[in-house]
Amino acid sequence: MQLQPQHAEYSAIRDAVLRVEELGADVVFNWDHFYPLSGDPDGLHFEGWSMLGAWAEQTERIEFGTLVNCNSYRNADLQADMARTLDHVSAKGGTGRFIFGTGAGWFERDYDEYGYEFGTPGTRLAALAEALPRIRSRWAKLNPAPTRDIPVMIGGKGERKTLRIVAEHADIWHSFVQPDELGHKLDVLKRWGDEVGRDVSTITVSNELDRKGEDVAHADALYDAGVRLFTIGVSGPDYDLAPVRRWLEWRDAKNA
């Protein structure tokens, strides 16, 4: 579940997180942007990482994170420390529940308005490739260490650069690739895995579901193609969770 932090007061977001956990969803994500991506471009909006600390305390079972973090906004070692802290805040006597979703960034307005250099897709991907080893290195140095090997989710589908980064660093690969494209992308991912010495069959494949909760044939095709983490995005102000209920029923039928 991606609760898009736009067009809603925070009280509505807080309530939606509770309802999502009560419904039985496995993961709740937000996103890492500074302005709405749909609707009124200057509508209500909240920053993602600050919100995650509240979610870590508010929830008991559900995993959580950003879909996805923008690597460009923060020093790599700082990102690692923020992630480790959320891991501990969410542990509550057990293991943490934070998923470190990350990507190269793409929404130019975020960069322009907040004073970050936008660069090019190539420079942003190079920065992501440089940051990920630093993040893992920092996790190994922090005291206390993370409570678990924090799962890394990487978003994107580019074959020359992104899928290599996925092969080397990701535990979860997220994209919007269609079912008929997925086999080819997974072949590319395997070739990159062979090159970097990684068994990519251990990577969980993630994709987007129909936001109305109706296109079951498409979801079945994604499942048959290898997708095992399915996300659905819902925007404010009201956070209608009826489609989430329908997709949870579909999930439970698959797992029966």
Side-chain angles (χ1 to χ4, degrees):
M1 176 70 194
Q2 184 191 52
L3 287 174
Q4 299 165 355
Q6 60 178 6
H7 309 307
E9 298 289 352
Y10 188 72
S11 58
I13 297 173
R14 181 191 299 115
D15 176 68
V17 172
L18 279 176
R19 290 189 287 138
V20 167
E21 184 168 52
E22 289 170 356
L23 284 173
D26 299 289
V27 187
V28 59
F29 293 112
N30 59 17
W31 64 31
D32 192 21
H33 296 287
F34 306 133
Y35 296 93
L37 298 185
S38 62
D40 179 1
D42 295 311
L44 299 176
H45 198 277
F46 288 96
E47 192 276 325
W49 273 85
S50 304
M51 190 182 301
L52 294 178
W55 291 9
E57 282 288 4
Q58 174 185 351
T59 58
E60 298 291 334
R61 174 196 58 79
I62 200 167
E63 292 186 287
F64 66 100
T66 51
L67 183 61
V68 289
N69 166 67
C70 180
N71 176 71
S72 306
Y73 305 155
R74 305 165 190 91
N75 168 278
D77 293 82
L78 174 61
Q79 293 179 65
D81 205 341
M82 294 163 67
R84 181 282 309 255
T85 299
L86 288 169
D87 170 74
H88 276 266
V89 173
S90 65
K92 299 186 178 180
T95 57
R97 295 174 284 118
F98 177 68
I99 294 173
F100 182 64
T102 193
W106 63 273
F107 190 45
E108 188 168 4
R109 185 185 182 190
D110 288 335
Y111 290 79
D112 293 345
E113 295 271 7
Y114 277 61
Y116 296 106
E117 182 180 351
F118 188 55
T120 67
T123 61
R124 295 194 300 277
L125 282 166
L128 178 63
E130 179 185 358
L132 285 162
R134 288 178 55 190
I135 289 167
R136 291 197 182 277
S137 176
R138 180 56 57 186
W139 282 339
K141 297 174 183 176
L142 289 169
N143 184 17
T147 68
R148 65 173 180 170
D149 290 333
I150 297 174
V152 174
M153 167 188 269
I154 296 175
K157 65 176 185 176
E159 297 180 9
R160 292 192 303 111
K161 296 181 179 180
T162 302
L163 290 182
R164 178 184 178 124
I165 297 171
V166 171
E168 193 164 4
H169 297 289
D171 301 291
I172 305 166
W173 168 49
H174 181 79
S175 77
F176 301 94
V177 172
Q178 297 301 301
D180 58 355
E181 299 177 82
L182 200 51
H184 168 70
K185 295 293 184 181
L186 290 172
D187 286 344
V188 173
L189 182 61
K190 185 181 185 305
R191 290 199 295 272
W192 279 123
D194 292 341
E195 181 160 326
V196 303
R198 171 94 186 277
D199 177 8
V200 298
S201 69
T202 63
I203 297 174
T204 299
V205 180
S206 172
N207 208 302
E208 181 86 358
L209 283 170
D210 166 50
R211 295 183 184 186
K212 295 182 180 179
E214 297 172 350
D215 196 349
V216 173
H218 181 76
D220 285 340
L222 286 171
Y223 183 90
D224 291 343
V227 176
R228 290 298 181 269
L229 176 60
F230 294 86
T231 67
I232 176 172
V234 177
S235 179
D238 299 322
Y239 295 110
D240 175 14
L241 300 186
V244 180
R245 292 184 183 91
R246 290 193 286 272
W247 283 124
L248 288 175
E249 291 172 359
W250 175 84
R251 177 203 65 185
D252 293 343
K254 286 291 185 189
N255 290 334

